[in-house]
Amino acid sequence: MGGNGSYSKEWGGVPEVSRTHIDTNYRVDGHKVLLLEQNPGHDKIIMNSNSENPVYLFASVDKQSGVIQISGIGIYEKHVLKESIDLKFDKDGNVLPFSKTENGSHAHLWYEKSPGIYGRKSHDKSNYYPISKKYQGLINKIEDFNRKGKKWK
């Protein structure tokens, strides 16, 4: 999988030693569900992807139950993260509507901070956007996936 700041044109991808995520082999609407390799309980998004223009789904694993829960979407262009979506859920597993707070679902835009380094200012309320309606079908499928309680290993 991808890594942070590590896509290399010379290598034709992200070098193995720089890869931070693992593929769960689960797919939602054809998109890979990924886990942070060193800490599957954290749903960190990657900055660079091996594939040119993928959409990846980021999940974490509940330590008690071993159940995978998707809570993030990464949208990439030319191997670089351009938009991320943070999904927040109610107690019934339904995605909470947009809010400019940490408690509501929202999107973030990413930009080039310096040549080849992309990022965004954390908790910057001016970078909280409504989620595009074009992702609603995928979000509905993510809700279904999360409710099924798929186990990791």
Side-chain angles (χ1 to χ4, degrees):
M1 290 302 91
N4 293 321
S6 57
Y7 177 78
S8 168
K9 287 183 183 177
E10 293 81 35
W11 285 73
V14 176
E16 290 284 334
V17 297
S18 299
R19 295 182 184 185
T20 56
H21 287 69
I22 50 177
D23 186 350
T24 64
N25 292 318
Y26 287 115
R27 302 290 182 270
V28 175
D29 204 26
H31 303 291
K32 290 181 179 182
V33 178
L34 306 178
L35 295 173
L36 185 61
E37 187 169 20
Q38 296 300 317
N39 184 1
H42 185 64
D43 64 349
K44 185 175 182 178
I45 284 185
I46 55 177
M47 298 288 102
N48 301 108
S49 66
N50 264 340
S51 301
E52 190 169 5
N53 299 309
V55 172
Y56 289 141
L57 308 178
F58 295 93
S60 59
V61 177
D62 181 271
K63 288 181 182 181
Q64 304 292 342
S65 67
V67 171
I68 297 172
Q69 292 289 292
I70 299 169
S71 60
I73 302 171
I75 298 105
Y76 299 80
E77 291 178 17
K78 297 182 181 171
H79 306 282
V80 176
L81 180 64
K82 291 296 182 175
E83 182 179 359
S84 62
I85 298 172
D86 295 344
L87 299 174
K88 307 295 181 179
F89 300 89
D90 66 18
K91 62 180 176 54
D92 297 319
N94 300 308
V95 170
L96 292 169
F98 169 71
S99 172
K100 279 193 175 263
T101 70
E102 294 286 324
N103 299 326
S105 298
H106 53 272
H108 298 287
L109 300 180
W110 294 74
Y111 60 93
E112 193 169 23
K113 289 180 154 183
S114 60
I117 305 298
Y118 286 78
R120 69 174 181 87
K121 186 177 173 185
S122 291
H123 309 292
D124 176 4
K125 300 299 184 227
S126 68
N127 192 9
Y128 279 48
Y129 296 98
I131 299 166
S132 172
K133 293 192 185 309
K134 71 181 177 182
Y135 296 110
Q136 189 57 53
L138 175 57
I139 290 169
N140 293 343
K141 291 175 182 174
I142 289 170
E143 287 173 327
D144 291 341
F145 176 91
N146 285 350
R147 286 186 185 112
K148 290 178 181 172
K150 305 263 185 187
K151 298 273 187 170
W152 174 241
K153 294 188 178 186

